[in-house]
Structures are given as C-alpha cells and as structure tokens.
Amino acid sequence: MNIQEKIISWAPEAQMEEGQIPAFRIPASRIHDLCKNLRDDKETPYKFLVSLIGMDWGDSLGVIIQLSTLTFDQSVLLKVSTEDRENPQIPSVSDLWGIANLYEREVFCLLGIRFIDHPDMRRLYLRSSWNGYPLRKDYQPDEALNSLNLESEPESDVVTAITSNGEGDVQETESALFEKEEYVVNIGPQHPATHGVLHFRVSLDGEIIRKIDLNL
C-alpha cells in the first residue's frame, strides 16, 4: 500500500491535501495512534520527527507534524486542529519522539495549546507569569499585563504533567523538578552560535548526569 492507503486504513476520517509533500488533515483523537503506526511501519518506517509547528488558522488552533524516513527519501505532513480556542487540547506524541517534548512546550508557550499526556507542560521561551499567547492572531499586546522586566526571574522548579482518563477528563499533576537531596549545577548560557542561548540545570550523581532541565 502507498502512504495514502495506509493512513486512510489507520484513520478513515483523514483528508488528503495537494502539495509537494503528501499532507493529511487528521482528527486529534487519531493523531497519536496514527503517528505510532507510521513510526513502527515495517515497510516504510517514519522514524524521524522533522518538526512540530503550532498554527493559528483563524477558526481553529493546531499543529503541523512533519515525519520522514531516516534516509529522507519520503516525508508526510499531518495537520491536526481543535476549534476550542478557550481550552485547546491535542494528544502528545512526546512518548514516540523525545524531541517532541520541546516542540510541544514551544507550541504551548506561544499558542496555548495543551498536549494531553505530556510530562512537563511548562512555557519554554516566555516567563511563567506571561499573560496570553503571542502567536495567536487575536493576541493584543498590553504593556500593563506584560511589562518589561530587566531583572532575572527565578526559574520554575515545578513540573506540570497533563493526563487524561480516556473519557475526556483531563488532570494536571504538579511535582518537583528536582528533589532536595539532588546535586544541581548550572551549565551555560551557551554560546549564541547555537542559534539561541541555552541554559541547562543538571542533576549530578558524581560524574553521571541523572537529569537535565533545558531553558531557552
């Protein structure tokens, strides 16, 4: 079967769109299982998550996921949306590709989309106290709400995991990022040649890195 036949068999509601790269609109409820099937497909495994980009289409919010084979000879675009702008939610794929953890945090930070079953739904770029989501088309900058602050703010030591019971109920669970007995050191900020300043907080056990917290 070609990629269109496979995706339709796994997600019958999928709608194909014309373009240089095969693109499909996928219901949010189908996206996680579909991504897992594409990643684990024996004939053409889409092992590489190229990008996960947040979108505001005006009437809906969502993401575009680009997957590719490891040889980059085949790619596919998956478009997922939600019309609920007050409480936009999409299943996370961070358990399938580790890099999706940061991609989804970026989308949450700038568009406010929460990813269900994501282990760490914190903002990535903006401070945790920021009001609103700057990449939404209806975002209105307000200096009174988000005044310029030249002082460093303390970084969050609380992780917020978002889980679902499978019946539409979503629960947020907070836990400590680092325990009191952990030995935590700061690494960075790294050189801007990384296309942005990277700051790591690292939990060490001797010379062994147990945990890394990344901030941009």
Side-chain angles (χ1 to χ4, degrees):
M1 291 192 294
N2 60 32
I3 186 61
Q4 180 179 5
E5 293 170 334
K6 288 181 180 180
I7 288 179
I8 295 300
S9 68
W10 291 324
E13 306 91 337
Q15 299 177 358
M16 187 174 181
E17 297 182 350
E18 296 296 330
Q20 292 183 336
I21 299 176
F24 300 84
R25 287 197 173 271
I26 309 295
S29 60
R30 294 279 189 175
I31 190 60
H32 183 274
D33 290 343
L34 176 60
C35 283
K36 188 176 187 302
N37 287 335
L38 287 168
R39 186 197 65 174
D40 299 338
D41 184 49
K42 293 183 179 179
E43 296 179 353
T44 311
Y46 287 79
K47 294 287 189 181
F48 186 49
L49 174 59
V50 179
S51 62
L52 188 154
I53 302 171
M55 298 293 296
D56 184 347
W57 283 292
D59 58 342
S60 63
L61 298 167
V63 296
I64 298 178
I65 300 172
Q66 182 177 356
L67 304 178
S68 172
T69 58
L70 291 180
T71 53
F72 294 97
D73 59 335
Q74 296 189 53
S75 295
V76 63
L77 297 177
L78 307 176
K79 300 181 180 181
V80 190
S81 64
T82 171
E83 296 180 1
D84 187 351
R85 297 182 70 90
E86 296 300 318
N87 188 29
Q89 298 176 355
I90 293 175
S92 172
V93 294
S94 60
D95 61 320
L96 302 178
W97 296 280
I99 189 59
N101 185 303
L102 295 178
Y103 284 156
E104 291 174 354
R105 283 182 60 190
E106 176 186 37
V107 173
F108 168 68
C109 179
L110 301 177
L111 285 161
I113 299 173
R114 297 193 305 167
F115 291 85
I116 307 304
D117 294 325
H118 190 287
D120 185 8
M121 201 84 280
R122 288 179 292 154
R123 286 190 186 267
L124 186 61
Y125 295 107
L126 301 173
R127 61 179 186 265
S128 59
S129 60
W130 189 272
N131 293 286
Y133 304 100
L135 289 191
R136 289 195 184 191
K137 292 182 177 179
D138 54 5
Y139 176 74
Q140 297 294 328
D142 188 340
E143 292 185 8
L145 289 177
N146 297 303
S147 58
L148 180 63
N149 188 353
L150 300 180
E151 300 294 329
S152 296
E153 295 188 2
E155 296 180 24
S156 173
D157 288 324
V158 176
V159 172
T160 301
I162 299 180
T163 57
S164 172
N165 62 3
E167 299 178 357
D169 296 326
V170 176
Q171 181 179 4
E172 293 187 4
T173 304
E174 292 187 348
S175 59
L177 179 61
F178 298 108
E179 301 298 334
K180 292 183 178 180
E181 63 273 13
E182 290 187 76
Y183 183 70
V184 181
V185 299
N186 291 287
I187 301 178
Q190 304 290 357
H191 193 279
T194 56
H195 300 284
V197 177
L198 298 179
H199 176 207
F200 300 94
R201 287 187 294 173
V202 182
S203 174
L204 299 176
D205 181 4
E207 295 181 348
I208 299 175
I209 297 175
R210 295 298 186 186
K211 188 186 303 178
I212 295 179
D213 178 45
L214 170 64
N215 286 277
L216 303 178

